[in-house]
Amino acid sequence: MAYEWKFKARPYSDDEAKTLLKGVISPETSDWHYNKHHAGYVAALNTIEKGLATADRSKANGNYSEIGELKRRQTWNHGGALLHDVYWEVLGGDGDPSKGPDVKKAIEREFGSFEKWVEDFKATALSAKLSGWGVLAFDMLYSGRLLNVLVDEHHYGAMWGAVPLIPCDVFEHAYYHKDGAGRATYIDNFMKNLNWERINARYRKYVK
């Protein structure tokens, strides 16, 4: 039996999201982004799982094969599903970092000040391709540091063993309906809507 990937619920209902996230995204985007895009990545993962169960491994090669394409799309959809899980988790707050004292202290220690982290995080997210992410990640398996990571699409640039703490989706579908080409405005509003209590809990869960 193929593994079944689960579509994770947000920490708030769809109706609550329309109010909680209105400063970041439009009500329509909240619905489409979660119930269409995000759900689509999970559905694709399950389709891929079924395909992998029957794919002919003997035909694998470096140009084109069914197994190769399934493996490529698996990482794309896995990254999309996981990053969106965390994206929704960390939104819906008032943007007050004092409510996340542990992670705020770690950010200040790594970047010199909270303001310098914000500057670097915003520059990272602005530098991603039109389909990409800016991610504050905890490099758990290698350096033990907090790093702002630029990820193109859902997986190019991702680091092995790094736990995403704050992923900012900068795919055009995340903000065009509200801010048009104003990616910088969207990122500023994203920062103002962060739920630092949940971010702090996530940090404490993974940082020993």
Side-chain angles (χ1 to χ4, degrees), residues 105-159:
K105 185 181 295 184
I107 286 171
E108 291 169 339
R109 183 167 59 247
E110 184 62 47
F111 292 89
S113 71
F114 186 81
E115 292 72 24
K116 288 182 179 178
W117 168 72
V118 170
E119 180 182 26
D120 189 73
F121 183 86
K122 183 174 179 179
T124 302
L126 282 169
S127 299
K129 292 182 178 179
L130 295 181
S131 52
W133 298 76
V135 183
L136 174 66
F138 171 53
D139 184 17
M140 182 166 63
L141 294 185
Y142 195 29
S143 67
R145 299 172 59 202
L146 293 180
L147 300 169
N148 286 328
V149 180
L150 189 159
V151 179
D152 289 324
E153 300 191 31
H154 294 143
H155 49 345
Y156 298 116
M159 292 183 172

Side-chain angles (χ1 to χ4, degrees), residues 23-196:
V24 186
I25 56 178
S26 69
E28 293 86 354
T29 298
S30 174
D31 179 23
W32 300 333
H33 197 167
Y34 177 65
N35 290 303
K36 299 295 183 183
H37 289 286
H38 186 176
Y41 300 131
V42 180
L45 277 174
N46 286 317
T47 298
I48 289 166
E49 286 288 339
K50 293 174 183 176
L52 288 170
T54 58
D56 186 349
R57 271 106 177 132
S58 69
K59 295 182 179 178
N61 63 82
N63 184 4
Y64 170 81
S65 65
E66 181 186 16
I67 185 70
E69 292 310 302
L70 286 167
K71 291 288 187 179
R72 287 185 181 91
R73 302 316 293 176
Q74 185 179 42
T75 57
W76 156 268
N77 286 284
H78 182 277
L82 186 148
L83 288 172
H84 279 92
D85 281 350
V86 187
Y87 174 77
W88 300 117
E89 177 185 329
V90 302
L91 284 175
D94 61 8
D96 181 0
S98 69
K99 294 180 178 178
D102 301 307
V103 67
K104 182 175 182 286
K105 185 181 295 184
I107 286 171
E108 291 169 339
R109 183 167 59 247
E110 184 62 47
F111 292 89
S113 71
F114 186 81
E115 292 72 24
K116 288 182 179 178
W117 168 72
V118 170
E119 180 182 26
D120 189 73
F121 183 86
K122 183 174 179 179
T124 302
L126 282 169
S127 299
K129 292 182 178 179
L130 295 181
S131 52
W133 298 76
V135 183
L136 174 66
F138 171 53
D139 184 17
M140 182 166 63
L141 294 185
Y142 195 29
S143 67
R145 299 172 59 202
L146 293 180
L147 300 169
N148 286 328
V149 180
L150 189 159
V151 179
D152 289 324
E153 300 191 31
H154 294 143
H155 49 345
Y156 298 116
M159 292 183 172
W160 293 108
V163 178
L165 299 176
I166 304 176
C168 182
D169 186 347
V170 291
F171 275 65
E172 289 178 323
H173 65 240
Y175 58 91
Y176 255 55
H177 195 258
K178 177 178 175 292
D179 295 315
R183 181 187 282 196
T185 299
Y186 158 74
I187 296 169
D188 287 339
N189 290 331
F190 172 87
M191 302 297 285
K192 293 174 184 175
N193 193 254
L194 287 174
N195 188 308
W196 284 95

